[in-house]
Amino acid sequence: MTEPLGLYVHIPFCASICNYCNFNRGLFDADLKRRYVGALVEEIRRSDGSPADTIFFGGGTPSLLDPSDVEALIAACRESFSVSADAEVTLEANPDSVTVDRLAGYRQAGVTRVSFGVQSFRDAELLRLGRTHDARGAAEALGMARTAGFDNVSLDLMMWLPGQSPDEWLESVERLIALRPDHASVYMLELYPNAPLREEMARARWTQAPDDDVAHMYLSAMERLERAGLDQYEISNVARPGCTSRHNLKYWSDGEWVGFGCGAHSTRGGARWKNVASTAEYVDLVGRGSPAAIDVRVMSRQEQLEDALFMGLRRSGGVDLPSVGSRYDIDVWSYYGPQLAPYLDEGLLIYDGGALRLSRPGMLLAHEVMMVFISPDVR
Amino acid sequence: MDQRYIRNFSIIAHIDHGKSTLADRFLELTGALQAREMEAQVLDAMDLERERGITIKAHPVRLNYTSVSGEQYVLNLIDTPGHVDFGYEVTRSMAACEGALLLVDASQGVEAQTLANAYLAVDNNLDIIPVINKIDLPSAQPEECRRQIEEIIGLDGTGAILASAKEGTGTREILEAIVERFSPPAGSADAPLKALVFDSWYDAYRGVVIVVRVIDGVLRPGSKVRLMASAQDYQVDELGVFSPKALPVQELGVGEVGFVVANIKRVSDARIGDTLTETARQTLEPFPGFKELKPMVFAGLYPVEGHQYSELREALDKLRLNDASFFYEPETSMALGFGFRCGFLGLLHMEIVQERLEREYNMDLVTTAPGVLYRVTTTDGEVHEIDSPAKLPDAGRIAKLEEPVITATILTPSEHVGSILQLCQDKRGVQKKLEYLKSDRVLVTYDLPFNEVVLDFYDRLKTLSRGYASLDYQVTGFWESPLVKMDILVNGEPVDALSIIVHRDAAYERGRAVAAKMRELIPRQMFEVAIQASIGNRVIARESVKALRKNVLAKCYGGDISRKRKLLEKQKEGKKRMKRVGRVEIPQEAFLAVLKVGTE
């Protein structure tokens, strides 16, 4: 592959644990953080100098790192990879964990893009989610980022929250638009089976909106965001022109990325692997000079093709069948066309001979379509 | 062997009343257990067959017993199947005996199955010894049992033996009673050979093995014999008895029980109830009571994956090798594609076949609602037997429509009798008899449409009586009934596999319930799905499944594509278990759920 790599750095610490989240994270511990950053630097340094053009600090809550930590990690990336001068360097942040100084420090360290986990602009909803910030804090965080000099700021919102009505959801969307971010992500709350939030919902009798309402919430939000100059470029992502997330696009464009840190995922050279999930074990393994990767798996061509197709469908522009076809040496349309026909008939899919893409109602039913590309025993 | 020292008997018992434990005690006390232990494998194979086998019956066991007075006896314990589906096989096993032990659980008392089989034993002129088992239980009520035996079954309870098979109490007393109170076999050694076939199975190495009871004459290896019903001649290759391991013998004389191997190719050639005689010197009369077993319950079996059709055919062929009572023929459904119409002795039999296909042959099956065999007289005067709603002629061509009727015997504690009578009435039953017994039990006899029983009668009976009522039934005839065919349409297309035959008066309610159930079972799809129930061209119920509008669009954590993929794989796996009818995906359970409605 000639495309430069994306580098992902996982920061598994949080100041408090949200009641709906099951990402790989734990409570912040200063000493563990220090050792963890050391281990990250060590793991990154084992790399081979390949070209890379994005770095993404994801979590957890990466903004719990001090600017000096971030600086050391970016430096390690630059030493061990050939990181382009105009690289996109994203840091996920919690609105209540930042100050202008701190943000300026990140910027000084080389961060070019900040992504705030706002989730909602309604305090009642934030409270239900167990978030520690309020709507005003979120707005202020964006202002601080601007003051610190960031011209690429993203805000995350979540819809389908417990007790959230369509109007309440659109209120958050309007508040977001009014703040003029450069990028926004819109997700639906996914309640994993044992999420503590489920219990709280049951106790308080909060329910999630019915499907038809959620569809309306999604479609209205996308229309509204687009009118405000934030163009949809992926199922859940919108951006001002030129501000799409180059790092995340690698996931959706059959790209390659290397993840560092506990539980980080990598896809490179036709293989996929995952690092050990436990923070302590990760620090220990790296400290002993061992690889942190477990579960290294070489993918078959079929699996790579399928992943390229179903992940590619997430992009608004769709997946270009002729180019995927030439990469994997298959006539994608004649192979999958018959199975795709019902979705084209229903208007969920659009195909113009080049790109195959989902319509907006199709995006809501993306999984139904993506299943066409899944063959059962490919892994 | 001297027939005066032979006793052939079976054990009549309700499930869990301790039949196999008592049999184990017999094996132990007669010294057969050691052999049993040595032949663990043989017995395991038997257990396996017992677990899976269509007959649900163990081999007969020959016990060598030395009586208290010092005489040597041969006792043949002949097993009987424990389920109403196999009623005919029970009569044949009993016909091979002179006596029966009536085993009753001292804490449970007499159950309907026990009663039905006790009557069968009486009809077959068997000597009966009541045994009250599990007297070691704190809840045992032996005197109450004795009263029930007298009052419900009409046997003399004073001779009942008190036993605990679990603890070994009463075992010898029972064996002594068998010797003293059961008659030895009658029959003449000089008469032409007459032997009753009461079991048969297919053995991959030896072909069909048949189990016989010699009535008259003698069987020897090399004998030229004839199966009278199928009129086929064979030469006996091997004779033996089960001790319990298979033991070759040089002859089987009057009253003896054993197996015969004679190069018989198919079990359908050696049917249960047939008579084995000598080719050269045939008995004048075959043993009475032979019947062709006729399937009573019918259902469509379809592979979920169309390409498994030929595999299914092979699997059915193999099953049929060992089960002459099971019937199948190819059937095509618009909805389900190519499959088979299968006939079974009853619901349990159907479940067994289904389970064997799934477990032993790895088939993924869709089963349609079971139905019964209807009798249709068309306007041209012809009589047709209809085993599938699809075969029902147009209403205009039907002069008379008859459905099979069963006579059901229900034994219940009196507190549940009200709800049971209500159930029987709801099921279009006609009360024949209602007997309040002194022992706080009620004997209810009803004629019921078999179709209704096939639906869900037994489950509901058990629920209503909290498990205490027991049921036995026999198909006793046909009656005329205003039945109609109800179709289910999905997005305007009739789904043939969902059609059922129902009573006209119940059609409307049933149609509504089925449509509602279908709405529950059919998951939302990309488009709205309309469900209708109709009789002829008249729609009697409609429901709709609204279009699916969204999947959950959640955040993907740090490029973890494997997780997304697993999610999609799981969803796809769920879809695979559905049948596509037109554009609509219908889950397998929907094809059976037609049965499960209107019962709450």
Side-chain angles (χ1 to χ4, degrees), chain B residues 284-533:
Chain B
L284 293 176
E285 291 285 335
F287 192 82
F290 174 73
K291 270 202 305 195
E292 294 261 5
L293 269 187
K294 248 178 110 170
M296 303 299 302
V297 171
F298 295 83
L301 292 185
Y302 290 84
V304 173
E305 309 262 1
H307 63 80
Q308 280 200 315
Y309 175 78
S310 54
E311 276 172 66
L312 177 57
R313 175 192 287 280
E314 275 170 38
L316 291 171
D317 284 345
K318 281 191 193 148
L319 281 187
R320 163 104 188 148
L321 264 184
N322 213 355
D323 184 0
S325 57
F326 150 66
F327 149 95
Y328 62 96
E329 65 180 18
E331 176 182 69
T332 311
S333 153
M334 301 279 285
L336 300 175
F338 295 106
F340 296 90
R341 193 75 192 163
C342 300
F344 311 93
L345 295 176
L347 284 180
L348 178 75
H349 188 202
M350 171 173 133
E351 276 168 36
I352 292 167
V353 170
Q354 223 176 307
E355 192 175 326
R356 290 187 67 176
L357 288 170
E358 285 179 355
R359 219 167 49 166
E360 293 170 38
Y361 297 94
N362 244 331
M363 302 296 310
D364 219 349
L365 296 174
V366 176
T367 310
T368 64
V372 298
L373 199 66
Y374 294 95
R375 203 143 74 184
V376 180
T377 311
T378 41
T379 44
D380 56 11
E382 272 189 59
V383 179
H384 310 264
E385 288 198 319
I386 301 293
D387 64 15
S388 153
K391 294 180 190 163
L392 195 69
D394 290 338
R397 286 191 55 228
I398 299 176
K400 191 163 82 168
L401 188 47
E402 293 168 290
E403 61 179 335
V405 178
I406 59 156
T407 301
T409 309
I410 301 162
L411 197 56
T412 175
S414 56
E415 56 185 303
H416 305 300
V417 73
S419 47
I420 288 172
L421 293 181
Q422 186 61 52
L423 173 65
C424 291
Q425 290 304 130
D426 290 350
K427 294 293 186 186
R428 303 190 278 125
V430 174
Q431 198 182 104
K432 306 298 284 182
K433 208 158 68 175
L434 184 66
E435 242 179 300
Y436 278 82
L437 307 167
K438 280 195 212 82
S439 47
D440 194 32
R441 290 210 168 192
V442 186
L443 186 60
V444 184
T445 312
Y446 256 84
D447 280 349
L448 284 159
F450 190 28
N451 187 29
E452 300 284 350
V453 176
V454 164
L455 289 182
D456 58 357
F457 186 82
Y458 189 65
D459 286 348
R460 292 194 61 195
L461 181 73
K462 281 290 174 193
T463 309
L464 288 175
S465 65
R466 282 187 272 124
Y468 284 111
S470 52
L471 166 74
D472 195 83
Y473 65 82
Q474 267 185 302
V475 177
T476 43
F478 280 81
W479 66 26
E480 195 176 346
S481 204
L483 300 165
V484 291
K485 182 174 148 213
M486 185 177 82
D487 297 313
I488 298 293
L489 289 77
V490 172
N491 273 5
E493 292 195 36
V495 183
D496 53 4
L498 287 170
S499 295
I500 49 172
I501 291 174
V502 286
H503 192 271
R504 194 179 53 207
D505 297 347
Y508 183 71
E509 200 183 331
R510 195 152 190 94
R512 268 196 313 192
V514 171
K517 193 79 193 173
M518 295 295 290
R519 187 195 57 195
E520 250 173 64
L521 290 171
I522 296 178
R524 285 177 153 208
Q525 331 239 326
M526 289 183 296
F527 38 82
E528 182 163 317
V529 177
I531 300 158
Q532 294 166 312

Side-chain angles (χ1 to χ4, degrees), chain B residues 536-555:
Chain B
N537 291 324
R538 191 162 50 94
V539 173
I540 56 170
R542 65 183 85 227
E543 292 279 354
S544 72
V545 180
K546 292 213 291 181
L548 176 70
R549 294 294 305 281
K550 73 149 213 334
N551 303 131
V552 179
L553 308 176
K555 188 166 182 165

Side-chain angles (χ1 to χ4, degrees), chain A residues 286-302:
Chain A
V286 176
R288 282 191 278 123
S290 306
I294 49 169
D295 266 356
V296 184
R297 203 164 45 75
V298 176
M299 291 188 287
S300 66
R301 292 293 283 171
Q302 179 65 23

Side-chain angles (χ1 to χ4, degrees), chain A residues 302-310 373-375 378, chain B residues 565:
Chain A
Q302 179 65 23
E303 182 180 0
Q304 291 181 52
L305 165 71
E306 292 178 8
D307 286 2
L309 289 169
F310 86 74
F373 298 121
I374 301 291
S375 52
V378 78
Chain B
R565 189 183 176 93

